[in-house]
Amino acid sequence: MNTGAPEKSRLLPGYVAFYFLFLYLPILLLPVFSFNNAAATTFPLAGFTTKWYVSLWGNGEMLTAAVNSLIVGVCVSGLSTLLGICAARAITRYRFRGRRAANGLIMAPLFLPEIIVAVSLLMVVLAAGMELSLATIILGHTVFCLPYCMSVLTAGFEGFDRSLEEASLDLGETAFGTFRRVTLPVVAPAILSSLLVSFTISLDEFILAFFLSGTEPTLPVYIWGQLRFAAKLPSVLALGTIMLLISILLLTIAEVVRRRAERRYATGGYAHA
C-alpha cells in the first residue's frame, strides 16, 4: 500500500529546489549582474568589478533619495506602530459594537489594489490642499503599513497573559503605569518586529511613493527614473542589491526577535515581568 511513498520522497527535494529557483532566481541574478564589468545584463559576464558600487557614493541625487527614504521609513515605522498598538490593544482587550468591522477596515489596504489606494489618497491629498512632499508619502505609507503592524501586534497582545495586568492593578498600580511597566515590556518583541517590518515595507514601496512624492523622490522612485537610461542600469542593479540585503537583514532580525519572544513566553520567561 506504501509502494508510492519512496518515489515521492525522492521527488520532493527536486520539487522544492525547482520551487525556490522559480521564485528567487530572478532576484539572485540582480547581485550577479551588479558585479559585471559591462553595462549589458547578458551571459557570459565581462568580468568582476565593484565600480558600480563605488559610483553610488558620488551620486548626489541617489544620496538625497536615500535620505528621503530613511526619513520616511523612520516616521512611518514609528507612526504606524503607535497606531497599531492602540488598535491592537483595543481589539484584543475589549468587546464593543463594530469591533470586527473596525478591524476589517484597518486591514482593507492589504486586499485592495495598491494603485487604487494610491489614486484615492492622491485625490484626498489634493482636495485637502496639501502639497505633494515627504509628508504625504508618510501619510500614504502609514495607511499601507498599518495592517502589517496590526497583524504582528495583535498576535503579541493575544499571547499576553492578562493576569499580569490584573496582578499589577491589584497591587495599586494605575492603568497607565500597568501598561507602561507590565504590558509594554511583555509585547516589546512584537513592537520591535512591527517597527522593522513597517520600515522595510516603506523602504521598498514604490506605487504610493510615485503618486505622492512630488519633487522629493524616495529610492524606489529614483530607481524607476534611472531605468530609462541604459547606461545607468548597472548602478541601479548595485543599488537594488544593497536595498535587497537591507530588507533581508531587517526581516531576519524581526523574525529572530519574534521566535525568541515566543520561546521565552512558552517557558514562562515573563512570569517576573
Side-chain angles (χ1 to χ4, degrees):
M1 296 178 62
N2 296 325
T3 56
E7 182 181 356
K8 289 183 179 180
S9 63
R10 288 194 299 267
L11 293 177
L12 183 58
Y15 169 76
V16 173
F18 173 78
Y19 184 83
F20 281 106
L21 282 175
F22 177 78
L23 288 178
Y24 298 113
L25 183 59
I27 298 176
L28 294 176
L29 290 177
L30 184 67
V32 171
F33 286 118
S34 69
F35 292 103
N36 187 24
N37 193 23
T41 55
T42 57
F43 289 105
L45 301 180
F48 180 85
T49 183
T50 59
K51 64 182 181 181
W52 309 121
Y53 290 90
V54 175
S55 66
L56 293 177
W57 299 110
N59 190 329
E61 292 182 0
M62 187 278 295
L63 294 177
T64 300
V67 171
N68 290 341
S69 286
L70 182 61
I71 294 173
V72 171
V74 170
C75 293
V76 168
S77 61
L79 184 57
S80 57
T81 298
L82 178 62
L83 294 175
I85 290 173
C86 298
R89 179 173 171 80
I91 288 174
T92 56
R93 287 291 184 272
Y94 306 104
R95 297 293 180 267
F96 54 89
R97 181 177 299 178
R99 181 174 65 91
R100 293 184 177 179
N103 187 43
L105 289 174
I106 294 174
M107 304 300 290
L110 283 177
F111 311 103
L112 295 174
E114 190 176 350
I115 191 170
I116 300 300
V117 177
V119 172
S120 301
L121 289 174
L122 178 62
M123 293 174 61
V124 171
V125 166
L126 294 179
M130 298 177 61
E131 294 185 2
L132 299 181
S133 62
L134 294 184
T136 55
I137 302 176
I138 291 171
L139 293 176
H141 281 193
T142 299
V143 172
F144 187 70
C145 291
L146 184 57
Y148 295 93
C149 295
M150 276 289 294
S151 299
V152 175
L153 293 167
T154 299
F157 277 104
E158 286 180 344
F160 175 65
D161 187 357
R162 299 186 185 181
S163 63
L164 297 176
E165 291 181 331
E166 295 173 358
S168 176
L169 293 172
D170 290 340
L171 292 173
E173 183 62 86
T174 62
F176 177 77
T178 297
F179 180 75
R180 182 173 63 88
R181 297 176 182 272
V182 178
T183 307
L184 282 183
V186 174
V187 298
I191 294 174
L192 180 58
S193 296
S194 173
L195 289 170
L196 292 174
V197 169
S198 56
F199 179 84
T200 303
I201 293 173
S202 175
L203 181 67
D204 297 335
E205 204 285 325
F206 168 73
I207 296 179
L208 288 171
F210 178 75
F211 276 84
L212 302 174
S213 60
T215 59
E216 299 177 287
T218 58
L219 268 179
V221 177
Y222 169 81
I223 290 175
W224 178 85
Q226 298 303 296
L227 290 176
R228 294 175 295 174
F229 310 100
K232 296 184 178 181
L233 180 58
S235 297
V236 170
L237 296 178
L239 179 58
T241 301
I242 294 175
M243 294 181 63
L244 177 64
L245 293 176
I246 293 175
S247 300
I248 293 175
L249 177 62
L250 292 177
L251 292 176
T252 300
I253 293 174
E255 182 64 16
V256 169
V257 170
R258 185 188 66 81
R259 292 189 178 186
R260 286 183 177 179
E262 287 182 351
R263 288 196 297 267
R264 184 181 175 189
Y265 191 85
T267 56
Y270 292 130
H272 304 289

